[in-house]
Each structure stands twice: as C-alpha cells, then as structure tokens.
Amino acid sequence: LDKFDILIIKELSANSRLTILELSAKAKISPNTVRSKIKILEKKGVIKGYRAILQSSMMNLEHYEIPISLQSLPEEKVRQLEAWCISNPNCIFMIKTVGTWDFNLVLVVENHNRAQANLDEVRTIIGPLIKEYHLVRIVRIIKYDYFTMPSLLP
C-alpha cells in the first residue's frame, strides 16, 4: 500500500459516502487515479465493502457484548458457535480472541430479555465448556473507526 492507498482507506473508513471528486481533492491526485486505486483495493480484498453504521438506540434497540472464556475449544463446538452467529440476525459481530476471553459476541436486540434468550441459545451449544462469561449492555459507543493505523499515514 502506498501513501495514497492509505489516505483513501482512511477517508473511506470515516465516510464511505465520499465521492471520487472529494477523495481526489483530499488525496491531491486525479479522480481517475482514485477510481483505479479503489478498484485495486477492492479486488485485493483490502476494501471488503461499504456499510451504514446504524445508531441502534434510535431504533429502540440495545447493544450487548458477551465475552466468553472456555475450559477447552473443541473444533466442532467452535464451528457450531460460528454457525449460530452467522445464522442469528441478532449476532452482529463475533471474534476469536487470545487472552482472558476466547470469544466475544456482540448482539443487537430489542431488550435485555432477548439478549438473555440469545445467551441461553449459546449456552445450549457450549454450556458445559464455559468457564466464565458476562452479559454486558453497551449504552454508548464513543468511537467506531475501522482505520486504526496512524503510523501508516503520510
């Protein structure tokens, strides 16, 4: 990635609705070059897509995080948990971690009871393996930024 690629990625991660002309002005390169660079970044998989970031509280929805620590990680159970998350419209995010927690699930649901119901489903999949978990309501997201590589900025 060159400095223009990084700048384009940074700007699009902050506002994916920027036009080619706006990006061109910010990067100080031609619109054709910006268009070409974006196509290459998409083709390489650096840019995976463009999404709206929704404010769930404005839609009367609540965010919950469930960090989970397991006693062991049988591959079959991991696949079942992944399949549950992929097929569950309330599960918007799942990551495998190293450290205190093995997985972190993020849910968007109507209320605490729905969050608890989703947690109960998770417990039917991996219940006996769970060492520790928490059901945490996220009341405010202060920063949501996909670009966290300031050292790469020109």
Side-chain angles (χ1 to χ4, degrees), residues 10 12-15 51-56 63 92-93 106 108 138 140-148:
K10 176 189 175 295
L12 286 175
S13 71
N15 181 1
R51 291 187 167 86
I53 298 173
L54 306 174
Q55 184 65 26
S56 56
H63 261 89
I92 63 165
F93 197 72
V106 177
V108 175
I138 301 169
R140 183 171 168 231
I141 297 173
I142 288 100
K143 181 178 179 184
Y144 202 103
D145 189 351
Y146 288 106
F147 186 85
T148 58

Side-chain angles (χ1 to χ4, degrees), residues 31-44:
N32 285 340
T33 302
V34 170
R35 189 176 294 106
S36 172
K37 287 185 163 296
I38 289 172
K39 285 184 193 271
I40 290 168
L41 290 167
E42 289 170 342
K43 186 174 182 179
K44 286 182 176 178

